[in-house]
Amino acid sequence: MEGIQEIEKVGSISVFSEVAKLGHEQVVYCHDEATGLKAIIGIHNTVLGPALGGTRMWNYATEEEAAIDVLRLSRGMTYKAAVSGLNLGGGKAVIIGDPKQLKNEAFLRRFGKFVNSLGGKYITAEDMNMKTSDMQYIGMETKHVTGLPVEMGGSGDPSPVTAYGVYMGMKASAKKGFGSDSLGGKKISVQGVGQVGMFLVEHLTKEGAQVFITDINEERLRMVANSTGATVVGNDEIYDLDVDVYAPCAMGATLNDQTLERIKAPVICGGANNQLADEEVHGQRIMNEQRVYAPDFVVNAGGIINISSELMGDYNRELALSWTEKIYDTTLSILNLAGDEQIPTQQAAMQIAEKRIEDVGRVKLSF
């Protein structure tokens, strides 16, 4: 297939090892010289249905870094869909490069052709540095795209629904950690105020929480602070605050050996993907320290829930929000299961997701 190469032909040894370890079905590299497009599409698991996951555009330092990111993100989408009870598999795409320099109609439509060449095995949507207007261009070349503008019958920006799900997950985590799900008066640090982080801060400040925010985008940081009353802190300072809840809402792996020495919050719940730098090591450490950790793929599932509503046709935002509200119960049940079995919460959530995939896999084949 012109412009697409399977990973075994181009991937480095470390990337291929990661593919084997994480159990992906398919990974493809996409390249188009005319537009400068370089993208990677990861399809992790399609037992429950076609792989759904957004496209992220980022100026990665290396192509290997981009590959590792798409592998971890697509795997997370599998668990996210499974634990949420959706009939969807997990996939993700990353586009390598500066969105301000590269994105235009031809560039996005070329990516749409690559998505279309997969025949519906992968359905894309928006993610970091991608907008509903970008989905329109991609949608000119494929029907396997979601997150289209509301005026076109789509669900629009999924960020508000994702943020609402994180908010519900945080309230459930507070219930487990503090005995009450009220966030009023709680001190909460939010790392990253992109679309999801911004809407999360709005929910928290409306409930009366004292919120501290940081972001690499200073203009956006000022805007969110001015509109919500949140307090701005430095990018590194965020780890040392004496707060009740730490909410990572930017890039992944912010829960690692170095930061866990500094983070004081007894509850950790945020919208970022792949928050644990090492799932086993850091998940176990958080449990040993008797902190509450809400698995990211559980609480940030509002986006995929929102998009699944669009896929069913006749999108209804109120229905999507109602479904997303159930993240509260899902989160609390996972936290309780982890406590009962004395296992890390990440492990408990993965067990539930894997059991559903295994059970359904007995009665149907992959997509």
Coordinates of all heavy atoms in Angstrom, one line a residue, residues 33 132 284 342 355 362 365:
E33 N 5.2 12.8 1.0 CA 6.3 13.7 0.8 C 5.7 15.1 0.4 O 6.2 16.2 0.8 CB 7.2 13.2 -0.3 CG 8.5 14.1 -0.4 CD 9.5 13.5 -1.4 OE1 9.3 12.3 -1.8 OE2 10.5 14.2 -1.7
T132 N -12.3 20.4 15.7 CA -13.4 19.9 14.9 C -13.3 20.4 13.4 O -13.7 19.6 12.5 CB -14.8 20.5 15.5 OG1 -14.7 21.9 15.6 CG2 -15.1 19.9 16.8
Q284 N 1.9 0.4 42.3 CA 2.2 -0.3 43.6 C 2.6 0.7 44.6 O 2.2 0.7 45.8 CB 3.2 -1.4 43.4 CG 3.5 -2.2 44.7 CD 2.3 -3.1 45.0 OE1 1.7 -3.8 44.2 NE2 1.9 -3.1 46.3
Q342 N -6.7 -5.8 47.8 CA -5.3 -5.3 48.1 C -4.4 -5.3 46.9 O -3.3 -5.8 46.9 CB -4.7 -6.0 49.3 CG -5.3 -5.7 50.6 CD -5.1 -4.2 51.0 OE1 -4.0 -3.8 51.3 NE2 -6.2 -3.4 51.0
K355 N -11.3 -8.8 31.4 CA -12.3 -9.9 31.5 C -13.4 -9.7 30.5 O -13.9 -10.6 29.9 CB -12.8 -9.9 32.9 CG -13.8 -11.1 33.2 CD -14.3 -11.2 34.6 CE -15.1 -12.4 34.8 NZ -16.2 -12.6 33.8
R362 N -15.0 -14.7 23.2 CA -15.4 -16.1 23.1 C -16.6 -16.2 22.1 O -16.9 -17.3 21.6 CB -15.9 -16.7 24.4 CG -14.7 -16.8 25.4 CD -15.2 -17.7 26.6 NE -14.1 -17.8 27.6 CZ -14.2 -17.1 28.7 NH1 -15.2 -16.3 29.0 NH2 -13.2 -17.2 29.6
L365 N -15.3 -12.6 16.7 CA -14.0 -12.4 16.2 C -13.6 -11.0 16.2 O -14.4 -10.1 16.4 CB -13.8 -13.0 14.8 CG -14.1 -14.5 14.6 CD1 -14.1 -14.9 13.2 CD2 -13.1 -15.3 15.4

